[in-house]
Amino acid sequence: MNYKTINDLGDLHNKVVMLRADLNVPMDENFNVTNTARIDRTVPTIKELMSKGAKVVVISHFGRPEGKGDMKNSLSHIVSDLEKALGKKVVFVEDCIGEKVEQAVKSMSSDEVLLLENLRFYNEEKKGDETFAKELVKVADFYVSDAFSTAHRAHASMVAAAKELPASMGRLMEEEVKALEGALSNPTRPLIAIVGGSKVSTKLDLLNNLVKKVDKLVISGGMAHTFMKAKGIDTVNEANSLVQMDMLETAKEIMTVAQANNCEIILPEDVVVSKEFKPNAEHKTVSLNNIPAEGWSLLDVGEKTIAAINEKLDECKTLVWNGPLGVFEMKPFDNATNKVAEHAAELTQAGKLMSVAGGGDTVSALENAGVANKFSYISTAGGAFLEWMEGKELPGVAVLKK
Ligand code: AMP
């Protein structure tokens, strides 16, 4: 890897390491953490740093605070969950810079962890302010970042802070970047991408990047309707689908670039149409020339399309997936997403496919399919994952280059 990892930091014994984590966990109205995944996933980094003798000071953003003292966005609410996950005492400091932090760092023991208050209590954080970053890392000898999910933002704690000290990725960010590089930067080919979701307009950068990189591109979900129309399938219209008439030219251009780059585009061959937009509504599978002009909506792709996608998966060694193939939130319109996800999971488990998925609804779609732990890697990073797939350089990752 082209990035600095904890192995590159040298002797950490008795050194203060500032760890930028993403502890922005979901919480209920009584301030109970409802999903501890983000805490649990950064724990190995904290434990490793502690086992190397480092004193670990954890920093993170949390929610969207309206300035300092907005207690509903205080990181103090997660102290007990972090303690439980770590099996160590966590000392909370009610600020992330200044006198209180300096005192707490001076008096900390190497068997406990410091957690500082929400970075976004200071507007300087989002502005990427260098003076604030200097103030932040003043108490530390090293900087480590595990906050891949925030890496598309050039915030002070993500970029300016990393420039102030010897810096590296934590194990979580290292794992995420390795998986994404394996999928898109240095993939074992043939490489296939599945892109679904609602509208072409929200995924233009993604499609434009993918057609230049992948060998096969499956386009499904609502966004496929625009491509189908652009290919001359006139049964698709604004009354029965999510077709974006102002995007037809764009779709054609994307298909032209794909052709120039030897990227095969796989579009639906049959569709599931439904009388109503609700679970278990009356529905039927129709071929493309039998799509009813009105009174029915295209909510999923049919068995012929599923079989075609699965056959393409059999031919490939690497898969990247963003977006559901249909309206997966309502049964039975999760059928195609589930069947293709199950097939990808089987190939992965058999060691035939390296599969990476993420972004937006993809994680819940794959959880719904019951295969979330059977893919090679599922990224929970959302926006950062999408920007990576779009081919953009993430400032919070770039700053950790060797
Ligand atoms: P996105 O956030 O763009 O990845 O879109 C995800 C959303 O696309 C999900 O809520 C799906 O229900 C929706 N979606 C997928 N296929 C269709 C379709 N054929 N018609 C309407 N919505 C769809």
Side-chain angles (χ1 to χ4, degrees):
M1 249 202 350
N2 224 355
Y3 299 96
K4 290 176 280 185
T5 71
I6 293 175
N7 305 349
D8 298 304
L9 290 180
D11 184 13
L12 298 179
H13 196 253
N14 263 331
K15 301 289 185 198
V16 177
V17 177
M18 184 162 271
L19 173 67
R20 176 42 162 115
D22 178 359
L23 301 178
N24 191 19
V25 286
M27 210 171 263
D28 66 19
E29 62 281 8
N30 298 316
F31 304 117
N32 296 310
V33 177
T34 52
N35 183 334
T36 58
R38 284 188 161 156
I39 297 175
D40 300 337
R41 293 182 75 192
T42 201
V43 158
T45 300
I46 304 179
K47 283 192 172 158
E48 181 175 344
L49 292 169
M50 289 178 90
S51 76
K52 293 190 154 107
K55 294 180 176 173
V56 183
V57 178
V58 182
I59 54 171
S60 177
H61 69 285
F62 184 58
R64 295 206 167 118
E66 289 155 20
K68 218 171 162 181
D70 174 1
M71 284 313 287
K72 75 174 192 305
N73 285 307
S74 169
L75 272 170
S76 61
H77 303 307
I78 71 145
V79 168
S80 58
D81 289 281
L82 182 56
E83 279 188 332
K84 214 190 298 164
L86 255 179
K88 297 277 178 199
K89 183 168 181 223
V90 173
V91 176
F92 181 71
V93 188
E94 289 159 17
D95 211 334
C96 60
I97 53 170
E99 187 69 19
K100 280 184 191 156
V101 178
E102 284 163 39
Q103 282 308 324
V105 172
K106 263 189 207 137
S107 53
M108 84 185 279
S109 89
S110 53
D111 200 41
E112 60 194 20
V113 167
L114 280 197
L115 173 65
L116 307 188
E117 185 54 289
N118 192 348
L119 293 162
R120 291 195 189 161
F121 278 4
Y122 289 87
N123 291 330
E124 288 87 346
E125 164 64 356
K126 278 191 166 188
K127 288 184 189 146
D129 188 272
E130 276 178 34
T131 316
F132 174 72
K134 284 196 168 91
E135 208 33 53
L136 192 64
V137 299
K138 198 161 95 178
V139 293
D141 303 298
F142 293 92
Y143 169 97
V144 172
S145 177
D146 250 352
F148 179 82
S149 40
T150 323
H152 55 318
R153 312 259 182 242
H155 293 169
S157 67
M158 295 299 305
V159 178
K163 290 181 182 164
E164 291 297 321
L165 296 175
S168 84
M169 293 181 170
R171 296 302 181 202
L172 172 60
M173 188 187 287
E174 185 184 337
E175 182 190 44
E176 184 107 29
V177 167
K178 270 189 187 152
L180 298 193
E181 288 209 321
L184 270 187
S185 314
N186 305 301
T188 313
R189 289 181 185 270
L191 165 62
I192 184 167
I194 297 179
V195 181
S198 49
K199 297 202 161 171
V200 179
S201 52
T202 60
K203 299 211 174 157
L204 276 182
D205 287 345
L206 182 65
L207 293 168
N208 277 320
N209 186 43
L210 290 179
V211 288
K212 289 179 210 133
K213 294 220 168 115
V214 308
D215 304 300
K216 298 175 201 292
L217 172 63
V218 174
I219 301 179
S220 188
M223 62 194 310
H225 306 157
T226 305
F227 283 88
M228 290 154 80
K229 186 82 176 176
K231 281 202 90 171
I233 296 162
D234 282 331
T235 48
V236 173
N237 63 45
E238 281 171 298
N240 63 16
S241 76
L242 287 185
V243 63
Q244 288 179 284
M245 296 303 287
D246 56 340
M247 285 280 144
L248 293 183
E249 282 312 307
T250 310
K252 280 182 197 161
E253 276 161 32
I254 291 172
M255 289 190 280
T256 309
V257 178
Q259 206 172 15
N261 285 277
N262 282 328
C263 166
E264 179 190 0
I265 291 196
I266 296 111
L267 286 170
E269 293 176 23
D270 56 351
V271 290
V272 179
V273 292
S274 171
K275 270 252 169 186
E276 286 171 278
F277 194 83
K278 66 172 200 194
N280 302 311
E282 186 188 344
H283 60 276
K284 57 184 179 184
T285 302
V286 292
S287 60
L288 301 185
N289 44 18
N290 285 321
I291 300 173
E294 55 189 305
W296 298 79
S297 306
L298 280 67
L299 297 191
D300 200 8
V301 292
E303 295 295 338
K304 245 172 106 179
T305 309
I306 295 170
I309 299 173
N310 285 348
E311 251 172 53
K312 296 293 171 190
L313 284 176
D314 291 338
E315 295 165 12
C316 291
K317 293 264 180 351
T318 308
L319 160 71
V320 274
W321 185 341
N322 170 260
L325 305 188
V327 183
F328 78 98
E329 299 93 334
M330 299 193 304
K331 289 204 175 305
F333 310 109
D334 58 350
N335 183 52
T337 306
N338 292 350
K339 287 199 172 143
V340 173
E342 279 160 20
H343 191 64
E346 270 165 30
L347 292 172
T348 306
Q349 295 299 308
K352 294 179 181 159
L353 185 73
M354 138 91 173
S355 53
V356 174
D361 285 329
T362 316
V363 182
S364 30
L366 296 184
E367 275 168 0
N368 183 58
V371 301
N373 53 3
K374 295 187 185 134
F375 270 51
S376 313
Y377 195 79
I378 301 243
S379 170
T380 49
F385 177 83
L386 273 180
E387 289 201 19
W388 185 286
M389 270 183 88
E390 286 165 5
K392 293 183 183 150
E393 181 163 71
L394 310 185
V397 172
V399 73
L400 301 171
K401 270 193 189 137
K402 269 188 183 159

